[in-house]
């Protein structure tokens, strides 16, 4: 017995009109035994059913469907079905064509060789159900930040059941899949449930349907729209604002919907000089800076989810000021490091006190040594009176030993 495998899978499902797979299955020994092949096609395509014999003594061949209805007896058509046509009929071969194949055509077909006794061979026709285009449901635009949403991707009509994969932008994420049988085909649903935040705004969720009948997966995409409260920041055009220059402040806003309008204020009140302080949209431009412009500038904007603000502390330096090495506005916003300054002062005071104490002890030590030498000899006296006499005697030379410290 010999077995042969043939593959005829078309790369485009819309043009699948050929046999997908065939396995030759001879029955019995060589001679007058029919040889058939199993056939696999995609729903809507065309299936060719072939029955051959290596040796035939003018005996007729016949094809029957799974219901044992005769389709063709030799070159004679027996069943009225416009989809079934004769391709080739001879003593060695009987080939028929079934066009526009449906799932109901699937089953076991029989080729009969009318000898005595009749010899038969089976061929199984497998029909693949093409999955329908996927649809994503469950999302109503827009979502609010913090909402929990469920995306469901559905495809119908596949056989065998299709496989669904999810992608968040280009990264695959896992969904929960359910498969339901509908007649001979299957309906497949896959769901994703998650809580959205501002990072999900504009993110694309793609449902990909894979199936043996498809060369390339079917895909559909849902782009999320998430609304969230605003966040503001102020950018400035000058690192060291100086008198006579112009300064541009921009209120950069992040939020959905875009927060507007942007309101500017200074030190909690209105802008004091509208001729030099020009507001255009989100920008505030101050021309010809001077010391009176010093202060805290604030921008504020809102959407239906909330209000946000940002502040900028402006300090205008003299025109000839060389400028610090760092952004003075940053120092103005954060303030000097008082702890560091206090620590340096404490170290300096401590070192000064230590020097004073050491110097004092040094002077005291040398003064005591001088007086002791002045009274030299008293320490060897046997009694107090002798010690006094010795000390007085030494005073005779006191003028010679006297030293002066300046």
């Amino acid at each position: 017995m010999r077995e042969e495998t043939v593959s005829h899978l078309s790369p485009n499902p819309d043009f699948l009109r050929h046999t997908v797979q065939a396995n030759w299955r001879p029955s019995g020994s060589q001679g007058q035994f029919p040889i058939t092949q199993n056939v696999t096609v995609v729903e809507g395509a065309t299936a060719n059913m072939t029955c051959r014999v290596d040796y035939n003594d003018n005996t007729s061949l016949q094809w029957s469907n799974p219901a044992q209805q005769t389709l063709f007896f030799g070159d004679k058509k027996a069943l009225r079905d416009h989809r079934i046509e004769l391709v080739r009929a001879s003593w060695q071969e009987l080939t028929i064509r079934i066009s526009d194949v449906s799932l109901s055509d699937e089953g076991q077909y029989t080729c009969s060789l009318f000898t005595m006794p009749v010899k038969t061979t089976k061929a199984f026709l497998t029909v693949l159900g093409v999955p329908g285009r996927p649809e994503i449901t469950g999302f109503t635009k827009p979502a609010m930040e913090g909402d929990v949403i469920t995306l469901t991707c559905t495809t119908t009509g596949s056989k065998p059941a299709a496989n669904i994969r999810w992608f968040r932008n280009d990264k695959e994420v896992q969904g929960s899949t359910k498969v339901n049988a509908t007649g001979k085909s299957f309906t497949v649903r896959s769901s994703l449930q998650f809580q959205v935040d501002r990072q999900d705004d504009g993110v694309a969720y793609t449902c990909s349907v894979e199936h043996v009948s498809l060369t390339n997966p079917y895909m559909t995409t849902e782009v999320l729209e998430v609304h969230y409260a605003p966040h503001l920041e102020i950018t400035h055009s000058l690192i060291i604002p100086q008198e006579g220059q112009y300064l541009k402040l921009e209120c950069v806003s992040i939020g959905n919907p875009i927060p507007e309008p942007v309101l500017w204020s200074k030190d909690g009140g209105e802008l004091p000089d509208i001729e030099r302080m020009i507001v255009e949209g989100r920008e505030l431009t101050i021309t010809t800076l001077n010391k009176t412009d010093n202060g805290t500038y604030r921008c504020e904007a809102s959407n239906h989810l909330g209000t946000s603000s940002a502040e900028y502390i402006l300090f205008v330096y003299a025109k000839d000021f060389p400028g610090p090495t760092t952004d003075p506005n940053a120092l103005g916003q954060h303030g000097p490091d008082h702890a560091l300054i206090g620590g340096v002062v404490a170290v300096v005071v401590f070192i000064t006190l230590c020097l004073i104490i050491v110097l004092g002890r040094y002077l005291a030590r040398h003064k005591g040594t001088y007086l002791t030498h002045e009274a030299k000899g008293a320490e060897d006296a046997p009694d107090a009176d002798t010690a006094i006499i010795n000390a007085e005697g030494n005073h005779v030379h006191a003028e010679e030993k006297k030293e002066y410290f300046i």
Side-chain angles (χ1 to χ4, degrees):
M1 180 181 296
R2 62 189 176 92
E3 186 171 292
E4 179 182 348
T5 301
V6 182
S7 178
H8 301 283
L9 184 60
S10 172
N12 189 337
D14 295 332
F15 297 96
L16 282 170
R17 293 295 183 269
H18 303 287
T19 299
V20 176
Q21 177 182 321
N23 295 318
W24 289 105
R25 298 191 325 170
S27 176
S29 61
Q30 290 186 356
Q32 294 188 357
F33 272 91
I35 302 171
T36 61
Q37 56 180 352
N38 291 334
V39 178
T40 300
V41 294
V42 173
E43 183 180 15
T46 298
N48 287 337
M49 310 292 296
T50 298
C51 179
R52 295 187 297 117
V53 290
D54 291 335
Y55 304 98
N56 191 356
D57 53 358
N58 300 333
T59 304
S60 297
L61 293 171
Q62 173 185 288
W63 270 115
S64 303
N65 64 15
Q68 294 304 309
Q69 296 172 313
T70 300
L71 302 178
F72 271 90
F73 184 82
D75 59 356
K76 301 296 189 294
K77 186 174 183 179
L79 185 66
R80 291 184 178 180
D81 189 334
H82 68 279
R83 300 179 305 121
I84 303 175
E85 299 174 337
L86 179 65
V87 176
R88 183 177 295 106
S90 68
W91 297 117
Q92 285 78 35
E93 178 183 341
L94 178 59
T95 299
I96 62 174
R97 177 185 296 121
I98 306 174
S99 58
D100 194 20
V101 174
S102 65
L103 296 180
S104 60
D105 292 322
E106 183 175 89
Q108 189 167 261
Y109 288 71
T110 304
C111 176
S112 302
L113 178 62
F114 282 86
T115 59
M116 294 297 292
V118 176
K119 299 180 179 67
T120 62
T121 302
K122 306 295 183 181
F124 199 90
L125 174 62
T126 301
V127 181
L128 301 177
V130 181
R133 295 280 181 177
E135 294 182 358
I136 296 178
T137 58
F139 179 68
T140 302
K141 294 183 179 182
M144 302 296 130
E145 185 174 28
D147 286 353
V148 176
I149 67 173
T150 301
L151 299 180
T152 300
C153 179
T154 304
T155 179
T156 61
S158 61
K159 178 182 170 293
N163 180 46
I164 293 180
R165 299 170 65 190
W166 283 100
F167 294 88
R168 185 184 188 274
N169 289 336
D170 295 327
K171 183 179 180 180
E172 185 170 2
V173 293
Q174 297 300 318
S176 176
T177 303
K178 293 183 179 180
V179 178
N180 296 317
T182 307
K184 290 189 175 184
S185 64
F186 297 90
T187 297
V188 184
R189 292 182 178 87
S190 183
S191 299
L192 284 176
Q193 187 176 73
F194 54 95
Q195 186 176 42
V196 296
D197 59 24
R198 62 188 61 197
Q199 303 300 324
D200 290 308
D201 185 39
V203 170
Y205 280 86
T206 299
C207 169
S208 174
V209 174
E210 299 175 347
H211 193 260
V212 64
S213 65
L214 302 177
T215 302
N216 298 311
Y218 286 159
M219 294 185 180
T220 186
T221 299
E222 182 76 50
V223 178
L224 302 188
E225 180 183 351
V226 181
H227 283 188
Y228 52 94
H231 173 74
L232 305 183
E233 292 181 358
I234 296 178
T235 61
H236 50 90
S237 61
L238 296 175
I239 296 178
I240 306 169
Q242 295 180 328
E243 290 180 312
Q245 295 179 326
Y246 81 94
L247 173 67
K248 179 180 290 186
L249 303 179
E250 182 178 0
C251 188
V252 180
S253 60
I254 301 174
N256 193 15
I258 297 175
E260 53 187 4
V262 174
L263 304 177
W264 286 95
S265 62
K266 179 190 176 188
D267 297 329
E270 296 182 354
L271 298 177
D273 191 344
I274 59 175
E275 293 184 358
R276 291 190 307 109
M277 299 179 177
I278 304 170
V279 176
E280 295 180 347
R282 302 178 180 277
E283 295 182 350
L284 168 62
T285 302
I286 306 175
T287 61
T288 318
L289 287 173
N290 59 58
K291 291 289 186 179
T292 63
D293 296 326
N294 291 345
T296 301
Y297 291 81
R298 176 188 178 96
C299 71
E300 182 176 298
S302 61
N303 59 21
H304 68 279
L305 293 175
T307 301
S308 180
S309 63
E311 293 183 346
Y312 174 81
I313 299 175
L314 173 62
F315 182 84
V316 180
Y317 289 85
K319 187 174 183 180
D320 56 351
F321 182 72
T325 57
T326 58
D327 186 352
N329 294 292
L331 292 176
Q333 294 179 16
H334 301 288
D337 192 338
H338 297 289
L340 178 60
I341 296 174
V344 173
V345 173
V347 171
V348 172
V349 172
F350 176 75
I351 293 174
T352 303
L353 291 176
C354 289
L355 291 174
I356 293 173
I357 293 172
V358 171
L359 182 62
R361 289 177 62 86
Y362 176 80
L363 293 175
R365 181 183 295 276
H366 282 71
K367 183 178 180 182
T369 302
Y370 170 77
L371 292 175
T372 300
H373 284 290
E374 193 177 50
K376 187 176 181 182
E379 58 184 4
D380 298 328
D383 52 32
D385 293 335
T386 304
I388 294 173
I389 292 172
N390 291 339
E392 289 176 352
N394 289 331
H395 277 286
V396 177
H397 307 286
E399 292 299 325
E400 300 175 2
K401 299 180 180 179
K402 186 176 293 183
E403 297 178 7
Y404 294 91
F405 292 91
I406 297 176

